[in-house]
Amino acid sequence: MPVLENHRLWQKTGKGYPPGRRILDADIFKEIVGDLDDEERSVLHWVLDGGGFRPWGEFTERFGDDMDESPYWQWHEPESLPGRLKRTGLLYVGMLNELQVAFIPADIREQLAEILSG
């Protein structure tokens, strides 16, 4: 099963949208953000305050990591904060100028900031 199909975001939708478009559906997006707890929302605010990304080392110092969790979310629900946020499809880890970072996709930063602030 592709990783995108495991995200809670993708599971809330039917087959009517191509995977890359599902996150841009305003109703689905609001539902996913609405399901976040206060701690998850706070972390996303912090990442957005950093321009939409933070160094992964800095992120894990503050919030821990998900290295000991199973990547098979369909059988093992993540318990760590980074694992739960990755599962939503709102937070990713990647490389930026040779630096590993936690980031929120640029396509959703503005909309996410509006919903979190509202």
Side-chain angles (χ1 to χ4, degrees), residues 42-100:
S42 177
V43 171
L44 293 173
H45 268 294
W46 180 75
V47 174
L48 287 168
D49 288 346
F53 63 92
R54 295 285 185 151
W56 180 241
E58 185 179 337
F59 185 96
T60 60
E61 283 178 25
R62 289 181 71 141
F63 308 111
D65 65 39
D66 58 346
M67 295 302 295
D68 293 330
E69 292 183 322
S70 171
Y72 301 105
W73 295 331
Q74 67 268 41
W75 294 295
H76 304 283
E77 193 77 23
E79 295 179 17
S80 71
L81 188 52
R84 294 190 324 257
L85 287 171
K86 287 179 186 179
R87 176 116 163 66
T88 66
L90 301 175
L91 183 80
Y92 292 84
V93 176
M95 300 299 289
L96 177 65
N97 298 328
E98 300 182 24
L99 176 67
Q100 190 175 24

Side-chain angles (χ1 to χ4, degrees), residues 11-67:
Q11 291 174 345
K12 287 192 178 281
T13 62
K15 302 288 184 199
Y17 292 100
R21 293 264 181 216
R22 292 178 188 163
I23 198 166
L24 301 177
D25 181 290
D27 293 332
I28 296 166
F29 190 79
K30 286 178 186 174
E31 183 178 345
I32 295 299
V33 176
D35 287 345
L36 298 173
D37 65 29
D38 290 341
E39 186 178 29
E40 293 164 341
R41 294 170 76 88
S42 177
V43 171
L44 293 173
H45 268 294
W46 180 75
V47 174
L48 287 168
D49 288 346
F53 63 92
R54 295 285 185 151
W56 180 241
E58 185 179 337
F59 185 96
T60 60
E61 283 178 25
R62 289 181 71 141
F63 308 111
D65 65 39
D66 58 346
M67 295 302 295

